Amino acid sequence: MHPLLKELYAYHNNTSVTMDEVERLLAKLKANDSQLKDNDKLFHLLTVLHSQKESVHHQNEEVIRKRLVDNHVSLHPSILALEHAHKHFYDIANSLKTLVDSELNRQEIIAIIEDYLRQYFDHIDTEENIFFPVANKLLTDEDWKIIARQWQYA
């Protein structure tokens, strides 16, 4: 596997750890058993999930996706839809940042966070089980050199 793909997998691993903590804190919120410090941590983690690192990560995935598209290979529809998904997560990130000061009730906030988690885990699953393996199989050493020149670091 190409080292740049390994870097993307490692980012997903780290993000999954954070998301697991979000799920744990969300369960406390759902059970009405969370303290103010738990809620503060939950909202902080939601902003951490959409930091500059997240933006750079998605930009790097887009560099790979665009290279596949430029090579005119037949791609799974979910790979073609990743660009839209990345933009969608940017919009979600902005809405999650406003939850802490919103006038939404607890159940509405829970529903929004649960929906976000479901979509994000689905997104990671698509990337790791369809997109990354296809990129690893179809991109040449020359493609990876082109991708590496466009790669960004947070």
Side-chain angles (χ1 to χ4, degrees), residues 98-151:
T98 64
L99 283 181
V100 70
D101 295 322
S102 74
E103 295 184 17
L104 298 174
N105 67 44
R106 189 169 61 83
Q107 290 306 100
E108 291 169 319
I109 290 172
I110 289 168
I112 290 168
I113 296 171
E114 284 179 328
D115 184 56
Y116 160 75
L117 289 170
R118 181 191 51 75
Q119 288 183 56
Y120 205 87
F121 278 124
D122 286 349
H123 176 76
I124 287 175
D125 185 60
T126 296
E127 289 179 343
E128 291 185 353
N129 293 303
I130 299 171
F131 174 47
F132 296 170
V134 166
N136 194 56
K137 178 180 177 183
L138 297 179
L139 293 173
T140 65
D141 288 342
E142 184 58 32
D143 289 322
W144 286 112
K145 288 176 187 174
I146 292 167
I147 290 166
R149 288 193 294 269
Q150 299 173 55
W151 203 258

Side-chain angles (χ1 to χ4, degrees), residues 52-63:
Q52 179 64 20
K53 279 185 173 184
E54 177 78 0
S55 178
V56 168
H57 172 77
H58 283 160
Q59 288 170 12
N60 287 336
E61 289 173 337
E62 278 302 301
V63 169

